[in-house]
Amino acid sequence: MKHEGCGLVVFEEKAKTNDVGSLGVTSDLCLTSDLMCHRFGVLLFIISCYYMVARPEDKRLCKMAVWIQAQQLQGDALHQMQSLYGQHFPIEVRHYLSQWLEGQLWDVIDLENPQEEFKAKRLLDSLIQELQNKAEHQVGEDGFLLKIKLGHYASQLKSTYDRCPLELVRCIKHILYTEQRLVREASNSSSPVGGIMDSMSQKYQQINQVFEELRLLTQDTENDLRKLQHNQEYFIIQYQESLRIQAQLTSLATLPPADRQLREPTLLSKRATVEAWLTREANTLQKYRLDLAEKHQKSLQLLRKQQTIILDDELIHWKRRQQLAGNGGPPEGGLDILQSWCEKLAETIWQNRQQIRRAEHLRQQLPIPGPIEELLNDLNSTITDIISALVTSTFIIEKQPPQVLKTQTKFAATVRLLVGGKLNVHMNPPQVKATIISEQQAKALLKNENTRNDSSGEILNNNCVMEYHQATGTLSANFRNMSLKRIKRSDRRGAESVTEEKFTILFESQFSVGGNELVFQVKTLSLPVVVIVHGSQENNATATVLWDNAFAEPGRVPFIVPDKVLWPQLCETLNMKYKAEVQSNRGLSEENLVFLAQKAFSSSSINPDDYRGMTMTWSQFNRESLPGRNFTFWQWFDGVMELTKKHLKPHWNDGAILGFVNKQQAQDMLMSKPNGTFLLRFSDSEIGGITIAWVAENPNKPGERMVWNLMPYTTKDFSIRSLADRISDLNHLLFLYPDRPKDEVFSKYYTPPLSKAVDGYVKPQIKQVVPEFTTANLDPAANPTYMDHGASPTVSHPQTYGIYPPMSDSMLDADGDFDLDDTMDVARHVEELLRRPMESQWSGQQS
């Protein structure tokens, strides 16, 4: 068994000394590949013709554009260009926006600098707008279809890259640079077509250059092998000739002496000549064999180096991006490019392996003493190691199972073999099995210890056959309906809770390659999962997953993570998670992060530099409660995210919610503003709460102003009445801090007025009031369609109006906040009264 990264492989090689055939790529597949290339060329031709007819002026403008030249590519270059496009960036977009795409300054954007995201977002928006404009100008029957298609692409690109515009820039840079290189190579020109160059394009160029070098080396060894085979066949013919001569010499003994003396000198001369030639040719053959073996050694060294770059750098980076995507990072992307590289590796490895086997076959046909036998054995062993490493590392999880996994709940996952199509694994589709194992079992598995096929639970529908998708060339197993029936937990360590216990899904399969020449048993592990049995555990389980995804180190022992991290590292993780959960481009500002640091470290410093060198432990993050509270830092932060995601997203995106402000800061900010100025901040004392703070006169001290705070709203409250409607109800709220009229900010979210009464019934509506700041209206004719009732308590002795029940003298909590729960009980009571038929309602009051 061999372990590479997270994948495992067991392989068996079946000796076939008399089988020197190729891998067995079927003619159907070759035909399909040629057909795809042909269709791709036809598509370019059709699009080009339409483009020239529809927009002749564009044709003149783009005469020397890269795209026009790229359409002339042939053969392998056309294949390479074809692989650049797909769902991530359709070729039609490249064609119809060719001039615009090549005119943008893609190279000025630093892909490694997150601050450049706004530039990338502008380019994305411009791209979408250009596509929409192009679609709107299409006319006629063909134009109608194209209009629909371009509109679809605009929506698709926006959906794909809206949250990660830098990935769009990365993609387009790679496409344009590769096209330039292909055009340059095809025209044998040394001058660059354009100036786009960045580190990723350079890396891609280096990888492609190595593949070209490997192709030439493999072709060279193929030619040498054919020459060796031809020379060896001639050598064997001459050797047979020497045997014939020797037989003739032996037969001379039966002839009369005169005849023997006449013929013997000639035969001896011929034998000496042939034997001398055979001796020289044997040395030449031996040299050819050694030279070929040395060339194969060079090829394998380069192959191993290239494979290391692709598997240990690029694929590991992809897996890291996939892990961060679990925390809300941008989509991992790039798997199609990785597959194309892995397929080139597989093809080159297999060609070299077959050449080495043919060389061994030639050696067995004509054994010549020397070191070649040992060399060929070493080469065969090396190439087998290389291909086994490739197969095991490319058995990957394309779509991870959910990392917070609830029992008795359906979940999905997708496993993919990147080299499956190239190695013809789909000709005998393998089955993949999924098993859940514990952290300790995962450690034992990677140490190659006997785990006795143990599992830590039972997964239903855990077997799936890998399917080959002809259109995409992918071989994958799509588990659609798995369900964790039960889980077996291990003994926990110290203060560890069930939501800190990590499991993993083990996917394993077996398949053969090259007509059963090699048989592989492959295994791969999912990202760690936390198993829960109730929704109330999801919050803490998410914290475990977030910490693991963010701070796991490459090549770790499962599933060890640092116990403490630097505060700036955690800030980056929290910001990524917040933007993803709220689905907003407005992340956490430096002021927001300072507020969070104050809360996490019980500090009053407002200087961000004071926190840069501080560390936060896992216990501080989600094991120990915040001072004076019964919840942890993460539980408070997660509550804010949930509330914002469900009810406050548009207001957060509009910048209407300051959010991360404490009570004292709110008071300091508001006291310098006119009466009626208010702000929205997240509650310090309640999980998932937001409160309104506003400045107004102190009713008990004329001429003195004070800041008021409503009891925090929660999800329960917003399920009854939205934030915008509640703000609309409170007439004493005039300006959103610092000075924006509230209707200017919130009016677009107000609920439209109710329709008139139907069939004599009046539909009730709850409206929020703060009685101390409300003028009562007892005239029922003033608003015949609905009746207001108090949704917030008073701050002093209130009057009793009409149908409102008497209120207690004080409904403030210990902190001076309004107790919304008590007043909502009143609201629900009035709502119940309003639901009753009008006659019985009034008769009840009279009685």
Side-chain angles (χ1 to χ4, degrees):
M1 177 176 285
K2 184 174 178 66
H3 166 231
E4 293 285 346
C6 235
L8 301 165
V9 62
V10 176
F11 61 85
E12 301 172 7
E13 182 172 8
K14 299 185 178 180
K16 292 192 175 183
T17 57
N18 60 342
D19 180 8
V20 293
S22 67
L23 174 61
V25 179
T26 65
S27 58
D28 288 343
L29 281 179
C30 297
L31 178 61
T32 301
S33 177
D34 293 340
L35 186 59
M36 287 174 64
C37 180
H38 171 70
R39 288 176 176 171
F40 184 79
V42 171
L43 172 61
L44 291 178
F45 176 75
I46 292 173
I47 292 176
S48 179
C49 291
Y50 181 89
Y51 189 57
M52 289 187 287
V53 171
R55 299 292 298 273
E57 67 276 16
D58 288 344
K59 180 201 169 192
R60 290 192 297 271
L61 288 170
C62 300
K63 183 176 181 181
M64 297 306 295
V66 177
W67 182 239
I68 297 297
Q69 300 174 68
Q71 292 179 58
Q72 312 304 317
L73 294 173
Q74 302 288 329
D76 185 59
L78 187 62
H79 273 293
Q80 290 185 50
M81 187 173 72
Q82 176 188 13
S83 68
L84 296 173
Y85 297 97
Q87 290 187 347
H88 63 285
F89 199 84
I91 188 174
E92 290 88 344
V93 176
R94 174 68 177 100
H95 182 81
Y96 288 106
L97 297 187
S98 60
Q99 181 184 355
W100 184 87
L101 286 168
E102 293 173 32
Q104 304 309 303
L105 300 177
W106 303 102
D107 53 329
V108 302
I109 297 180
D110 181 5
L111 295 173
E112 305 305 321
N113 183 3
Q115 302 300 323
E116 298 279 87
E117 189 171 78
F118 77 98
K119 294 182 183 177
K121 183 66 165 63
R122 275 209 309 264
L123 282 169
L124 171 62
D125 293 338
S126 298
L127 173 64
I128 302 301
Q129 188 62 50
E130 287 289 327
L131 267 178
Q132 292 172 341
N133 291 343
K134 184 72 71 172
E136 290 173 1
H137 286 89
Q138 302 306 316
V139 295
E141 182 177 347
D142 292 337
F144 173 75
L145 296 176
L146 185 58
K147 180 176 183 178
I148 294 176
K149 191 171 237 182
L150 293 179
H152 169 71
Y153 290 147
S155 301
Q156 176 180 311
L157 291 174
K158 182 173 179 59
S159 172
T160 302
Y161 296 110
D162 199 41
R163 280 174 46 200
C164 51
L166 285 173
E167 288 302 311
L168 173 71
V169 177
R170 192 189 307 273
C171 170
I172 294 177
K173 275 188 174 187
H174 172 60
I175 287 174
L176 293 178
Y177 179 79
T178 305
E179 284 179 354
Q180 292 168 5
R181 180 181 59 78
L182 292 171
V183 167
R184 190 164 61 246
E185 291 174 353
S187 60
N188 294 320
S189 171
S190 59
S191 61
V193 181
I196 296 178
M197 176 71 73
D198 65 352
S199 59
M200 174 167 284
S201 295
Q202 289 177 358
K203 185 182 294 184
Y204 285 7
Q205 182 186 27
Q206 290 169 359
I207 290 173
N208 289 329
Q209 285 175 345
V210 172
F211 273 126
E212 178 62 18
E213 186 177 351
L214 283 168
R215 186 187 69 80
L216 295 175
L217 283 173
T218 304
Q219 185 61 51
D220 186 37
T221 51
E222 177 65 28
N223 293 336
D224 286 354
L225 185 60
R226 289 176 179 174
K227 181 179 178 181
L228 173 63
Q229 183 175 353
H230 173 76
N231 289 350
Q232 181 168 313
E233 288 172 351
Y234 187 69
F235 180 92
I236 292 173
I237 291 172
Q238 293 303 310
Y239 180 73
Q240 294 294 332
E241 176 64 16
S242 73
L243 293 179
R244 188 180 65 80
I245 293 173
Q246 183 61 41
Q248 288 178 341
L249 282 170
T250 303
S251 67
L252 289 181
T254 61
L255 295 178
D259 290 342
R260 185 166 63 247
Q261 290 176 1
L262 181 65
R263 299 180 59 183
E264 188 174 40
T266 303
L267 289 175
L268 288 173
S269 175
K270 289 178 63 177
R271 185 179 70 176
T273 302
V274 171
E275 286 180 349
W277 183 89
L278 288 174
T279 302
R280 290 195 308 274
E281 191 64 17
N283 291 330
T284 302
L285 287 176
Q286 186 74 310
K287 184 178 183 302
Y288 282 170
R289 289 177 178 181
L290 291 173
D291 290 346
L292 180 61
E294 288 177 2
K295 287 186 177 181
H296 274 130
Q297 284 180 328
K298 181 181 178 181
S299 295
L300 297 195
Q301 288 173 357
L302 191 58
L303 262 174
R304 193 185 287 277
K305 181 180 178 181
Q306 178 83 326
Q307 183 161 293
T308 298
I309 292 173
I310 292 171
L311 299 185
D312 293 353
D313 292 345
E314 298 301 317
L315 185 57
I316 294 299
H317 289 162
W318 180 87
K319 289 182 177 181
R320 179 58 181 157
R321 293 196 300 271
Q322 185 186 54
Q323 193 171 25
L324 290 176
N327 280 359
E332 53 271 30
L335 198 53
D336 291 339
I337 293 176
L338 275 170
Q339 173 161 322
S340 70
W341 287 342
C342 291
E343 287 180 337
K344 286 181 180 179
L345 278 173
E347 186 174 21
T348 306
I349 291 169
W350 197 263
Q351 287 173 350
N352 279 271
R353 184 176 186 274
Q354 294 303 96
Q355 287 179 8
I356 293 169
R357 289 170 62 83
R358 285 160 58 196
E360 171 64 20
H361 184 64
L362 290 175
R363 188 200 65 80
Q364 292 174 354
Q365 279 185 334
L366 183 61
I368 300 176
I372 189 63
E373 181 177 1
E374 184 178 351
L375 278 173
L376 288 174
N377 288 338
D378 289 344
L379 287 172
N380 191 59
S381 176
T382 300
I383 198 76
T384 303
D385 286 344
I386 292 174
I387 195 170
S388 66
L390 176 66
V391 171
T392 183
S393 298
T394 56
F395 183 64
I396 64 169
I397 302 173
E398 180 179 8
K399 178 186 175 184
Q400 292 281 341
Q403 288 186 263
V404 176
L405 191 56
K406 188 178 179 182
T407 56
Q408 310 294 334
T409 303
K410 186 171 71 171
F411 68 96
T414 302
V415 179
R416 181 166 165 181
L417 182 62
L418 297 181
V419 295
K422 186 61 67 174
L423 296 182
N424 280 346
V425 176
H426 61 283
M427 304 300 283
N428 185 19
Q431 187 174 83
V432 183
K433 180 182 179 182
T435 311
I436 188 165
I437 61 175
S438 67
E439 182 175 333
Q440 291 301 320
Q441 290 168 332
K443 290 178 183 177
L445 185 69
L446 294 187
K447 290 179 182 178
N448 198 16
E449 296 176 358
N450 183 13
T451 58
R452 304 187 306 277
N453 294 321
D454 286 347
S455 69
S456 291
E458 181 183 353
I459 299 178
L460 303 179
N461 303 316
N462 65 330
N463 287 286
C464 183
V465 175
M466 299 194 85
E467 298 178 355
Y468 183 69
H469 306 278
Q470 187 77 34
T472 58
T474 59
L475 182 70
S476 60
N478 189 359
F479 293 84
R480 296 181 178 86
N481 297 297
M482 286 192 290
S483 176
L484 182 59
K485 183 178 180 181
R486 61 177 180 84
I487 190 67
K488 181 171 65 177
R489 299 192 182 275
S490 58
D491 295 332
R492 292 186 293 280
R493 304 179 292 263
E496 185 183 79
S497 67
V498 294
T499 55
E500 295 178 44
E501 186 178 6
K502 300 172 190 174
F503 297 87
T504 181
I505 309 294
L506 166 66
F507 294 93
E508 52 189 335
S509 182
Q510 176 174 310
F511 50 83
S512 61
V513 171
N516 291 327
E517 287 182 32
L518 296 175
V519 178
F520 293 95
Q521 292 178 356
V522 292
K523 307 172 188 285
T524 189
L525 299 176
S526 75
L527 293 173
V529 300
V530 178
V531 177
I532 63 175
V533 297
H534 192 274
S536 61
Q537 298 173 308
E538 185 172 357
N539 174 289
N540 293 324
T542 302
T544 301
V545 167
L546 183 82
W547 190 278
D548 191 279
N549 285 344
F551 309 122
E553 297 175 354
R556 63 171 174 175
V557 175
F559 290 108
I560 295 176
V561 286
D563 183 61
K564 61 182 180 181
V565 296
L566 287 170
W567 173 249
Q569 290 179 283
L570 185 59
C571 287
E572 183 180 345
T573 298
L574 294 176
N575 186 43
M576 180 186 294
K577 184 68 172 177
Y578 189 87
K579 289 172 67 176
E581 288 295 313
V582 180
Q583 297 178 344
S584 171
N585 288 325
R586 182 192 169 197
L588 302 176
S589 66
E590 187 171 67
E591 292 78 10
N592 299 154
L593 296 173
V594 167
F595 170 88
L596 292 174
Q598 291 173 331
K599 180 176 286 291
F601 300 114
S602 300
S603 170
S604 58
S605 172
I606 60 173
N607 185 357
D609 294 333
D610 291 344
Y611 303 105
R612 298 195 192 283
M614 298 183 72
T615 59
M616 191 169 193
T617 66
W618 165 252
S619 293
Q620 289 174 297
F621 183 68
N622 195 45
R623 196 176 275 175
E624 301 167 358
S625 295
L626 292 170
R629 306 298 182 194
N630 62 351
F631 47 80
T632 66
F633 172 84
W634 163 256
Q635 289 167 348
W636 181 88
F637 183 79
D638 186 60
V640 165
M641 286 195 301
E642 282 296 305
L643 180 72
T644 307
K645 177 173 67 174
K646 292 179 179 177
H647 300 287
L648 308 178
K649 181 163 58 177
H651 308 305
W652 173 264
N653 290 336
D654 291 345
I657 297 175
L658 289 180
F660 299 94
V661 177
N662 62 40
K663 187 178 292 187
Q664 185 59 49
Q665 288 174 320
Q667 180 165 327
D668 295 342
M669 295 164 69
L670 290 170
M671 287 301 291
S672 63
K673 298 299 177 182
N675 287 345
T677 303
F678 68 99
L679 60 78
L680 298 159
R681 67 177 187 86
F682 298 123
S683 170
D684 283 319
S685 59
E686 185 165 355
I687 294 179
I690 190 170
T691 184
I692 301 175
W694 76 94
V695 62
E697 295 292 334
N698 185 344
N700 299 322
K701 294 183 180 180
E704 180 179 304
R705 304 194 315 150
M706 64 179 294
V707 172
W708 305 72
N709 292 277
L710 271 182
M711 197 71 179
Y713 302 122
T714 63
T715 291
K716 179 176 66 175
D717 303 311
F718 291 135
S719 65
I720 297 172
R721 189 157 177 79
S722 72
L723 174 65
D725 286 339
R726 289 175 183 273
I727 290 174
S728 174
D729 294 341
L730 301 178
N731 294 326
H732 59 279
L733 302 182
L734 304 177
F735 302 101
L736 178 67
Y737 182 88
D739 55 8
R740 300 167 67 187
K742 73 172 184 181
D743 287 342
E744 178 185 302
V745 179
F746 295 101
S747 61
K748 57 185 174 183
Y749 304 112
Y750 293 161
T751 301
L754 296 173
S755 57
K756 295 182 179 180
V758 179
D759 297 332
Y761 288 98
V762 179
K763 187 174 183 180
Q765 176 177 333
I766 295 176
K767 293 191 70 174
Q768 175 177 264
V769 296
V770 178
E772 186 67 28
F773 293 86
T774 304
T775 302
N777 182 3
L778 300 180
D779 182 6
N783 197 338
T785 61
Y786 62 90
M787 301 175 68
D788 291 354
H789 74 274
S792 287
T794 62
V795 295
S796 63
H797 299 286
Q799 298 175 344
T800 302
Y801 303 124
I803 67 169
Y804 294 115
M807 296 183 179
S808 60
D809 289 343
S810 177
M811 301 183 74
L812 299 176
D813 67 3
D815 294 329
D817 288 337
F818 292 108
D819 190 343
L820 186 61
D821 289 339
D822 291 345
T823 55
M824 289 312 297
D825 290 339
V826 175
R828 295 186 185 94
H829 174 68
V830 175
E831 184 180 14
E832 179 61 31
L833 285 174
L834 294 174
R835 286 200 184 98
R836 300 175 186 173
M838 191 65 71
E839 292 182 4
S840 64
Q841 190 179 123
W842 291 114
S843 62
Q845 284 194 356
Q846 291 170 354
S847 62

